[in-house]
Amino acid sequence: MIPDALRALSWAQTWFFIVALWVGATVVASSIGFGMERALKARKIFDVPLFEGQYRFELMGNAVFIAIVTSAITLALKLGVIRFGAAGWAAGVATFGAMLVGFQVFYWFLHRAMHVPSLLFLHRWHHRSQVTTPLTGQSVSPGEALGWAVGFVGLPWVFSLVTPLSFWGWVGYLAFNTFGNIVGHSNVEPTAPIAATRAATWFANAFVYHSLHHARWNGHYSFQAAFMDRLFGTEWKDWPALYARIIAGKPLASLKEHAD
Ligand SMILES: [Zn+2]
Ligand SMILES: [Zn+2]
């Protein structure tokens, strides 16, 4: 259930509260991402400069994303769109797990659709960052932010038509997604070599996996794990070799770099 203290807030109070939480999470996760970029200089992914004013541009995108996503969540909570009701740890884990898998499937289709020429206008903002930073993850156009809002709110609405969800499982997933999205766009490869194996990437990708999407565009539409790309044949074969190069201390010198 939605906690009583949250339910008692007005529309405006609810929105301000969610904005405060989201901005707080963004600041913390970005700080971790920038800290990693500084601490792990030997694990840099692309040794290619950012475009002029990139951080400022990305900050604007973050503001757009946060405004739209928090408004959608406020609407959903105040209108009671998602049917919450399940309580306890097991329900929390089940809701988290359903969101974890469901969002990846949803995101792959959303992302793939935005790469269709007629919809690319929605997605160009995110791809303005060819080399990524922790601020890239939430740097999107208003249209793409709406797509993410559908994943955060519409997807659990559909799930809750089947069975009531755990409020905390849903909140936990949103926090996990936000941290992963921000930290995972850092231009650094912090993972252990096992992360670049085929078995591990069914569940979680190395950071270079999505960095290559920003550099090359037409492949690697998955973010968190590679299973959707594997299903649809959109995974590049050379990324483990590039991973090996990066963790050996040789960052990719150009966006066009390939391994044979
Ligand atoms: Zn991205
Ligand atoms: Zn893309």
Side-chain angles (χ1 to χ4, degrees):
M1 301 297 282
I2 301 174
D4 290 338
L6 182 57
R7 200 193 298 270
L9 300 179
S10 71
W11 281 71
Q13 287 169 330
T14 306
W15 185 67
F16 278 119
F17 178 63
I18 298 170
V19 168
L21 283 179
W22 212 289
V23 169
T26 299
V27 169
V28 171
S30 307
S31 306
I32 293 170
F34 283 119
M36 277 184 355
E37 287 189 345
R38 196 158 321 141
L40 299 171
K41 283 204 165 69
R43 292 283 197 106
K44 192 175 203 175
I45 296 176
F46 277 106
D47 192 16
V48 172
L50 303 181
F51 70 80
E52 170 119 13
Q54 180 164 339
Y55 289 133
R56 210 173 338 119
F57 178 79
E58 290 178 337
L59 272 173
M60 246 160 42
N62 276 255
V64 167
F65 180 84
I66 293 173
I68 289 178
V69 161
T70 55
S71 301
I73 292 173
T74 303
L75 260 163
L77 288 179
K78 294 311 276 182
L79 297 176
V81 170
I82 306 167
R83 187 161 59 109
F84 294 113
W89 278 101
V93 170
T95 295
F96 186 94
M99 286 298 298
L100 188 72
V101 177
F103 190 89
Q104 291 187 68
V105 174
F106 168 84
Y107 178 74
W108 192 93
F109 283 108
L110 170 70
H111 192 186
R112 183 67 194 82
M114 289 189 300
H115 276 265
V116 169
S118 57
L119 293 180
L120 203 52
F121 73 96
L122 294 169
H123 193 44
R124 279 193 193 282
W125 188 315
H126 187 61
H127 274 281
R128 178 98 195 266
S129 307
Q130 292 183 294
V131 174
T132 60
T133 81
L135 297 177
T136 306
Q138 297 189 136
S139 174
V140 299
S141 73
E144 176 164 353
L146 269 177
W148 281 74
V150 170
F152 288 156
V153 165
L155 184 67
W157 166 66
V158 172
F159 288 158
S160 74
L161 295 177
V162 181
T163 182
L165 302 187
S166 150
F167 175 78
W168 291 111
W170 174 68
V171 169
Y173 176 73
L174 293 188
F176 168 83
N177 181 298
T178 304
F179 269 81
N181 185 32
I182 293 172
V183 174
H185 273 84
S186 308
N187 183 29
V188 71
E189 185 55 74
T191 61
I194 192 173
T197 60
R198 194 172 163 83
T201 44
W202 285 103
F203 305 98
N205 284 324
F207 284 34
V208 67
Y209 190 94
H210 185 71
S211 300
L212 285 176
H213 175 73
H214 280 264
R216 296 180 180 175
W217 284 67
N218 298 314
H220 286 201
Y221 301 105
S222 302
F223 184 81
Q224 192 198 322
F227 70 89
M228 289 297 283
D229 283 324
R230 246 161 234 172
L231 224 56
F232 288 92
T234 47
E235 179 184 8
W236 288 305
K237 297 288 169 264
D238 67 334
W239 76 263
L242 295 177
Y243 176 95
R245 214 177 275 181
I246 291 159
I247 64 162
K250 291 189 213 95
L252 309 182
S254 124
L255 296 170
K256 294 193 164 58
E257 198 149 329
H258 280 73
D260 322 291

